Amino acid sequence: MSDLLPRRLAAAALAAALGGALLVQPSTAAAAEARPTAASAPFRYEVSFPKYTYRGGNLTYTVKVRNKRVKGQHYVALVGDFSTHFRTVRVISKPRSVKCSVKRRSVLCLISSLDKGDATTIKLRGWVGSRRGTAVARFGAAVTDNPNVSAKRLAKEIRSHLSAKSKVL
């Protein structure tokens, strides 16, 4: 239980499949969810992360992507950009169907197996430096049903991002 106290759960919803609006609500409870303005958002992603860390420590981000009700196989590009407070970033856990690449402080993942009702979880870890302040990670996602899409081309279609802010003490 004490492990859950310093953690905060932030959730966001992807309102439309390609470049939809994203609504973020501050979480007051441990399992709060942000609801999209359109009540029928077919794809969602949730990001959970710790509220704070100490200098030289690390922050682990858990990103869960869900296909609520769209039939057929879909491809999701998940992008994460980490602020200069991070020294390095790595993908520490992902399914075999997810291809990820990390370049400096940016992460690009292509999720290739989201059928109706499926969910995929990716864990990212960032090591913070020796400065105090606020470490920020920004996440965004775009969806397509084209099997020949490249992750970089799909990532350019992302219109809105979710910011995950953690204090560095």
Side-chain angles (χ1 to χ4, degrees), residues 6 9 28 30 89:
L9 181 66
T28 56
V89 177

Side-chain angles (χ1 to χ4, degrees), residues 62-138:
T62 304
V63 182
K64 188 169 191 174
V65 181
R66 291 183 181 152
N67 179 355
K68 287 292 201 178
R69 57 183 174 76
V70 179
K71 293 182 181 177
Q73 188 170 5
H74 283 77
Y75 303 88
V76 179
L78 179 70
V79 177
D81 292 321
F82 294 80
S83 68
T84 56
H85 271 85
F86 291 93
R87 289 182 294 149
T88 186
V89 177
R90 289 202 180 127
V91 178
I92 58 171
S93 173
K94 66 175 185 64
R96 284 185 284 171
S97 63
V98 177
K99 307 290 187 246
C100 290
S101 64
V102 179
K103 188 172 185 181
R104 294 183 186 93
R105 289 184 303 268
S106 296
V107 177
L108 175 62
C109 293
L110 182 64
I111 304 167
S112 63
S113 64
L114 276 183
D115 293 328
K116 181 179 178 181
D118 285 350
T120 299
T121 303
I122 301 170
K123 285 191 178 186
L124 307 166
R125 182 168 291 158
W127 284 266
V128 295
S130 58
R131 294 186 325 210
R132 291 184 184 185
T134 304
V136 180
R138 293 181 47 180

Side-chain angles (χ1 to χ4, degrees), residues 8-53:
R8 168 179 65 181
L9 181 66
L14 196 56
L18 292 173
L22 190 65
L23 176 68
V24 178
Q25 297 175 350
S27 62
T28 56
E33 282 191 15
R35 300 277 181 211
T37 54
S40 60
F43 290 91
R44 319 179 77 147
Y45 68 98
E46 301 172 356
V47 179
S48 61
F49 57 99
K51 188 175 179 179
Y52 65 90
T53 187

Side-chain angles (χ1 to χ4, degrees), residues 77 79 99 108-110 149-156:
V79 177
K99 307 290 187 246
L108 175 62
C109 293
L110 182 64
V149 70
S150 74
K152 289 181 183 179
R153 189 174 305 147
L154 189 57
K156 290 180 183 178

